[in-house]
Amino acid sequence: MNLFRKTINLKRVVVTGLGAISPLGHTAAESWKQARAGANGVGRISRFDASQYYSQVAGEVKNYDPLEYFDRRELRKYDPFIQFALIAAEDAYRDSGLADAQLDPTRCGVYIGSGIGGIFTIEENVIRLMERGPSRVSPFFLPATIANLASGNVSIRYGMKGPNLTNVTACTTSTHAIGESFRIIQMGDADVMLAGGAEYPITPLGVAGFSIMKALSSRNDVPEKASRPFDLERDGFVIAEGAAVVVLESLESALKRNAPIYAEVSGYGYTGDAFHMTAPDPEADGAVRTMEMAIRDAGISASQIDYINAHGTSTPLNDKTESLGIRKLFGDHADRVAVSSTKSMTGHMLGATGAIEFVFTTMALKEGFIPPTINLENPDPECDLNYTPGKGVERELTHALTNSFGFGGTNGALVISRFMAD
């Protein structure tokens, strides 16, 4: 138990619900089942003609029909990133048993972030404005676009009157959202938080923006092999979409209502590189300090971490820098700790990626199973850790770390621990 937590009587925070819609499935359970099996969620872009694009591959949510979840009138109000947030939140809400709980709504909050927000709705309404004039812009344009409307709509749906927040911190967005929700509950400002992230960036403008930066993989001939973290032949990340939302709850509240407990959130770290807009610090200073902060907050040592769900984007710079950071911090234990990048299967869900990886890390702890890094066929000598290539492995886990690093040098890490009553 963290000494600081004991000293100021911080509340223990547990995970009581998991929700997701991702390139691997329409629920958290389905997404985890596919990740556990080493399934591939990446393919050629099908939503629009990407034949002229530098990158033509993405992790799309398969077989998504919004009318299965919303009526046509509702859809006018919701950009797809909000739709995904509502779907993932419903999955988590039901999973946690909150629908049957008698909780004070002023003690329940929502913290869902998005790296980009409603880019689809922005594109759609710019075309309307340019082609048909200002009177044809949707009256729902702004409410469907603004990033905090994911949290807003979730809080309205479930009558949650506690903290109602969002954040925009690039690829670290939902790790920060979960971490800040952890702090809110620790400090006693809420008993329950729905936390996570949502993203719908696979649009003509979204893909063009990342493509022109040469940030994306151009392995268009073999799209299922495009996301290949830590591989010598990696050439960029694969843009992906979806949402993941988790229910965090004070241990006291969870026990009182006999809620399912997946794991305990035990540590949170967050730092800045102050180095470059898009590139990581080559010495991994920010990554090291972030992981170190999360581990220290959990009241454990680096040698007690059994598994790391790496940021592992499949970009030349990130993967070697993150590997360097792990080796610097963990020392000899870096050769023993299991690592994997589930982005090899989902692609990079941007503002939602930290949350889906939190879901996978939580399930890894619960089931004692480390998901694989697929497509790792030709290891990069500068990436010299155990990345669980090809196939997942069974292993008893007590503490796990999940990393997120984003544009602007923003970093976040969370320690998740197997729940123990004492």
Side-chain angles (χ1 to χ4, degrees), residues 243-328:
V245 174
V246 301
V247 178
L248 302 187
E249 189 165 357
S250 71
L251 177 58
E252 180 184 5
S253 173
L255 293 176
K256 185 176 181 180
R257 68 182 187 88
N258 198 29
I261 296 177
Y262 284 95
E264 181 169 3
V265 185
S266 52
Y268 172 42
Y270 48 102
T271 68
D273 281 356
F275 175 74
H276 189 272
M277 285 194 302
T278 58
D281 180 341
E283 298 302 316
D285 170 72
V288 169
R289 289 185 294 109
T290 303
M291 293 185 286
E292 186 175 36
M293 183 179 181
I295 291 167
R296 184 174 63 248
D297 188 48
I300 61 174
S301 67
S303 64
Q304 291 175 272
I305 295 293
D306 301 306
Y307 167 57
I308 301 171
N309 188 301
H311 189 52
T313 58
S314 186
T315 60
L317 291 180
N318 173 86
D319 294 2
K320 70 177 183 179
T321 302
E322 185 175 13
S323 299
L324 173 64
I326 291 169
R327 187 157 290 285
K328 279 186 171 183

Side-chain angles (χ1 to χ4, degrees), residues 14-77:
V14 293
V15 184
T16 59
L18 303 174
I21 179 168
S22 79
L24 294 178
H26 288 200
T27 65
E30 184 183 355
S31 297
W32 168 245
K33 180 180 178 181
Q34 294 299 310
R36 188 182 163 108
N40 171 54
V42 171
R44 291 187 66 85
I45 293 172
S46 64
R47 186 165 301 137
F48 59 89
D49 181 5
S51 60
Q52 301 302 308
Y53 283 67
Y54 173 82
S55 178
Q56 301 163 22
V57 299
E60 295 177 322
V61 173
K62 314 299 186 296
N63 304 312
Y64 175 61
D65 179 0
L67 291 174
E68 292 182 8
Y69 301 93
F70 309 99
D71 63 38
R72 293 186 185 279
R73 189 171 182 178
E74 284 181 301
L75 288 175
R76 297 173 61 202
K77 305 174 185 178

Side-chain angles (χ1 to χ4, degrees), residues 122-138:
I122 292 171
E123 286 184 43
E124 186 178 65
N125 280 273
V126 166
I127 292 169
R128 289 186 188 182
L129 175 65
M130 294 295 101
E131 293 183 351
R132 301 166 65 188
S135 65
R136 306 307 298 174
V137 171
S138 169

Side-chain angles (χ1 to χ4, degrees), residues 308-375:
I308 301 171
N309 188 301
H311 189 52
T313 58
S314 186
T315 60
L317 291 180
N318 173 86
D319 294 2
K320 70 177 183 179
T321 302
E322 185 175 13
S323 299
L324 173 64
I326 291 169
R327 187 157 290 285
K328 279 186 171 183
L329 178 61
F330 286 82
D332 292 341
H333 186 60
D335 293 316
R336 295 187 292 273
V337 67
V339 181
S340 68
S341 172
T342 47
K343 286 185 183 70
S344 61
M345 296 176 278
T346 62
H348 193 337
M349 291 165 58
L350 305 183
T353 203
I356 192 67
E357 288 157 14
F358 182 97
V359 168
F360 293 155
T361 306
T362 298
M363 289 305 300
L365 277 164
K366 185 174 187 296
E367 296 189 357
F369 186 87
I370 298 164
T373 303
I374 67 170
N375 298 327

Side-chain angles (χ1 to χ4, degrees), residues 67-255:
L67 291 174
E68 292 182 8
Y69 301 93
F70 309 99
D71 63 38
R72 293 186 185 279
R73 189 171 182 178
E74 284 181 301
L75 288 175
R76 297 173 61 202
K77 305 174 185 178
Y78 303 149
D79 181 273
F81 94 96
I82 297 175
Q83 297 170 31
F84 285 163
L86 286 162
I87 292 166
E90 176 69 12
D91 190 24
Y93 190 82
R94 289 183 180 276
D95 186 48
S96 71
L98 285 175
D100 301 317
Q102 300 296 316
L103 297 173
D104 178 353
T106 68
R107 302 285 301 166
C108 302
V110 184
Y111 202 138
I112 299 172
S114 180
I116 298 177
I119 190 171
F120 173 81
T121 300
I122 292 171
E123 286 184 43
E124 186 178 65
N125 280 273
V126 166
I127 292 169
R128 289 186 188 182
L129 175 65
M130 294 295 101
E131 293 183 351
R132 301 166 65 188
S135 65
R136 306 307 298 174
V137 171
S138 169
F140 300 110
F141 165 60
L142 288 175
T145 301
I146 300 169
N148 80 296
L149 264 294
S151 286
N153 279 295
V154 169
S155 98
I156 291 165
R157 173 166 290 192
Y158 301 113
M160 293 183 162
K161 299 181 177 182
N164 182 344
L165 301 163
T166 195
N167 64 308
V168 180
T169 48
C171 307
T172 316
T173 292
S174 50
T175 293
H176 286 154
I178 293 170
E180 294 303 316
S181 295
F182 166 58
R183 288 281 187 257
I184 287 167
I185 297 172
Q186 271 194 320
M187 297 299 294
D189 293 333
D191 298 323
V192 173
M193 293 292 294
L194 267 65
E199 208 76 86
Y200 189 86
I202 306 172
T203 70
L205 183 60
V207 177
F210 283 109
S211 285
I212 203 68
M213 295 173 65
K214 299 294 190 287
L216 302 180
S217 172
S218 62
R219 196 178 291 267
N220 301 318
D221 54 337
V222 193
E224 67 275 9
K225 299 282 189 179
S227 187
R228 45 196 317 110
F230 309 111
D231 192 274
L232 186 62
E233 298 176 6
R234 67 191 184 278
D235 69 333
F237 75 83
V238 170
I239 195 167
E241 65 189 10
V245 174
V246 301
V247 178
L248 302 187
E249 189 165 357
S250 71
L251 177 58
E252 180 184 5
S253 173
L255 293 176

